[in-house]
Amino acid sequence: MPKVSRPTPPKFSAQPKECLKAGFDHYIRYSLNRDKPSDQDLYQALALSVREQLMDNWRDTRVRNNQFSDRKVAYLSLEFLMGRALGNAALNLNLTDDARQALKGYGARLEEVAEQEQDAGLGNGGLGRLAACFLDSCATLDMAVLGYGIRYEYGMFTQQFVDGHQVEQPDRWLRNGTPWEVKVPHHNVLVQFGGRADTFCDDQGRRRHHWVDTEEVLAVAYDVPIPGFNNRRVNTLRLWKAEATDEFDLSEFNQGDYSEAVARKNQAEQITMVLYPNDSSENGKELRLRQQYFLSSASLQDLLRSYLGQGGDVGDFAKHHVIQLNDTHPSISVAELMRLLMDEYGLGWDQAWSVSSRTLAYTNHTLLPEALESWPVALMQRLLPRLMEIIFEINARFLEQVAQRWPGDGHKLRQLSIISDDADPAVRMAHLAIVGSFSVNGVAMLHTTLLTQGLFHHFHQLWPQRFNNKTNGVTPRRWLAHANPRLSALLTERLGKQWITDLSQLTALNAYLSNDSFIHHWREIKQANKQRLAQLVYQRCNVEFDTGMLFDVQVKRIHEYKRQLLNLLHVIHLYRRITAGDTANMTPRCVLIGGKAAPGYALAKRILKLANNVAYMINADARVRPFLRVAVLPDYNVSAMEIICPGADLSQQISTAGKEASGTGNMKLMMNGALTIGTLDGANIEILDAVGSENFFLFGLNAQEVEQARQHYQPDTYLQRSPALRGVIELLQSGHFNLLEPGLFQPILDALLSPADPWMVLADFDAYLQAQERVAEAYLNPAHWTRMSIRNTAASGRFSSDATISRYRDEIWSLAPARPCRQGETPDA
């Protein structure tokens, strides 16, 4: 690498505590010019002061990353559900106590000031939260990893309940700006759409392609720092914002055509306006495709330009880079990288394919075929004509391999083809990702098995060495050290601080299982955390949770396969028992449900309405309240989960077996000592293996039994067998929970009672009831329950994202540790 001649920026000589306090006071006095700062002012000043503390390390990290080490990683994801940044950054920089002291002079508490930060609206569910955990682990493990995402102006939506119905409001998370980003315009690139693909002969007489007459959009780069834990590494999450190449057409504006003058600007900015626009319309589909290509093209251009700018050889790009595609959304990268290598950098097809297919790796996150994206060929040809040409060629060459492997098998050709064999053909993006990647991984052992034996079975037959498993994990910094400070302090007192970066050390907790004092202390911490959760529930739902009751929690995206309906059927069953006077030895419980339904998912929204109606009936009944309370938390997000995890007693992971890829909420909750009630699905299987069957409430059909039962599934059979189930369904049918809204829940009843119900809710009801009865019995013995809680936390080490990322590093990325920054080096800014 050429030696950089620019002078080294001066570094602070003061200690971090002094720097933080001085910077904080400076921002309050001079930047904000406040005599009596508000909590929002204090937050802005503190965030900027904390960010200032990591700037030198951020520059040093870029220097280290610019060396030609073995490999660097780019992690492409359409979502990064980061949560609030202040507390996590202060923790990783060891500045939490210093931040408290800085605020003390203004009579403020860190917890209250931190509440001023909006959750970054860059993700929705587990996919985005996993990406955020991975970035934290990469930085903590000192890996050169650059995240790439989209800087959405609005998050998915802010959820409100009006008369029990979900109402979506814009999530204006950038209303007050964010101090956690730095605009880096020298990384801006142009992204093309539309136009046509043309051919020409170059000076050597070679046939070349270029993409002409295109609509260009400017991808503007914003960098977000990702600090490792106490190790001076600060990686980068680069987010792209779409802008027009020109603000507006001045001549049209001067002629009075105001709307047309700004039309191009508005159309460009739509690309990054909203996370996951509703794709039920053709315009929505096109916008989703624009988003995915925008992310992929901008990121690949940035990587190539940076590498070549350092003197790299484009033919060696794969030796120094691996690009991890987080799910199917960025899989258009396969065709785009080929386009860039051939059309922009002059490689021939074979060399470009060699580079591309040795660079890209694909993580699959779903077993639901409908969630594997496909785009109509007609749309692709109109929006991305050059890429469609490349995809046709990739598919033709791939099908030659299939034909060689299975001669004369037209069925295999149709099954495996990247282009569907339909009246309206579509590009199967998961197939494109598999064909164009050197690694394809699932995210839990069962998930990977079902991928290789089912969904992608023939691909696995063709390339068995390409498939592997990497069970998901969650970062213990945010989800234990930060979210549960009381428990974190106890762990550090007994085990030392090393557990924060080596969660396997929590197995030492098993030595305290017979220590009555420790068990009592653990239970006191849980009660304090339950009180904090009860306050959140009261603030958001106006429902009083009693901390002496079992806190039974199901928080996740609302979807039929996650079976919030099964939970509600059990709640209604308990309601029936209580109103019938059957309360002898009943364990009182508070049930918390949280999650958002996609705006276009009508049945999921109806399920939320049912949950709210059931909660209203239960909470309004004086006979029921001593035994059962229910709350549906609006606008569930990362910050809420940071309060829910420490306060939960029971974690509901009750999806239909074979449908959940992994799940990470299950890991966060068990890490904080919640016990799991769940099916043999996703990572539940590995949690069960880690904690033992005596510390896990297992129920229901397994994936193989689900498939067998599906062939002859008759809900009436289960109704006839189970008086409890029959009573619940009859109460629903009576309209008891929708007295003034006749027929409101008929679609739910129709789904439950249909032999075609793919989630087979009624098949697992009795087993679920029995498991919940075991939960209730176990909770009546506090010492026994607390020991089970301790065992869950002690066994959570294998579910740290540090462990997961270590396996990515060793088994997929082949990433060597970056060397320390040399004295006097400065970054390539």
Side-chain angles (χ1 to χ4, degrees), residues 43-269:
Y43 162 70
Q44 290 285 342
L46 184 59
L48 289 168
S49 304
V50 170
R51 194 188 80 174
E52 197 170 77
Q53 296 300 304
L54 53 76
M55 281 299 187
D56 285 326
N57 290 341
W58 201 2
R59 283 189 289 265
D60 290 345
T61 298
R62 289 201 297 272
V63 169
R64 296 167 60 190
N65 289 354
N66 283 342
Q67 311 308 308
F68 285 120
S69 60
D70 187 25
R71 263 184 169 182
K72 292 189 281 289
V73 176
Y75 194 85
L76 271 64
S77 180
L78 209 61
E79 291 187 44
F80 286 94
L81 195 57
M82 304 302 291
R84 292 172 177 153
L86 175 59
N88 193 70
L91 172 75
N92 282 6
L93 296 170
N94 197 25
L95 290 173
T96 303
D97 290 340
D98 300 337
R100 292 186 193 282
Q101 287 300 315
L103 289 168
K104 200 171 182 181
Y106 294 85
R109 295 176 63 248
L110 179 59
E111 290 75 15
E112 293 168 356
V113 169
E115 287 285 328
Q116 300 302 309
E117 182 177 359
Q118 287 273 102
D119 275 39
L122 302 174
N124 171 35
L127 180 81
R129 186 52 237 170
L130 179 80
C133 285
F134 278 8
L135 290 188
D136 177 86
S137 286
C138 289
T140 296
L141 293 172
D142 199 24
M143 297 183 194
V145 176
L146 173 60
Y148 281 107
I150 289 181
R151 183 183 182 270
Y152 301 102
E153 291 290 321
Y154 296 88
M156 188 175 179
F157 57 83
T158 297
Q159 181 192 55
Q160 298 175 356
F161 293 124
V162 177
D163 294 330
H165 292 279
Q166 173 179 289
V167 176
E168 302 97 21
Q169 297 291 339
D171 175 16
R172 297 183 60 193
W173 75 279
L174 285 170
R175 179 188 291 109
N176 298 316
T178 173
W180 298 104
E181 67 179 16
V182 177
K183 190 173 183 178
V184 283
H186 54 284
H187 283 281
N188 294 356
V189 296
L190 290 173
V191 177
Q192 300 169 279
F193 296 97
R196 57 187 174 83
D198 205 356
T199 59
F200 67 100
C201 288
D202 64 14
D203 295 341
Q204 287 78 41
R206 295 178 304 174
R207 188 166 178 263
R208 299 281 300 277
H209 300 264
H210 60 171
W211 191 1
V212 298
D213 299 334
T214 58
E215 161 207 343
E216 292 184 336
V217 174
L218 185 65
V220 179
Y222 290 78
D223 283 358
V224 177
I226 309 292
F229 182 78
N230 236 358
N231 68 351
R232 296 188 64 229
R233 174 171 283 278
V234 181
N235 282 339
T236 298
L237 169 60
R238 182 158 294 154
L239 301 173
W240 300 108
K241 177 185 178 183
E243 293 184 0
T245 51
D246 297 308
E247 281 296 303
F248 63 91
D249 190 317
L250 184 61
S251 63
E252 286 185 346
F253 188 87
N254 287 335
Q255 293 169 20
D257 198 346
Y258 305 126
S259 59
E260 283 300 318
V262 296
R264 186 175 300 174
K265 177 179 185 294
N266 292 340
Q267 185 177 16
E269 292 179 355

Side-chain angles (χ1 to χ4, degrees), residues 13-32:
S13 58
Q15 294 299 311
K17 180 175 181 178
E18 298 167 1
C19 286
L20 183 73
K21 180 70 166 65
F24 179 67
D25 291 337
H26 175 87
Y27 281 116
I28 290 290
R29 187 168 184 178
Y30 296 107
S31 297
L32 299 175

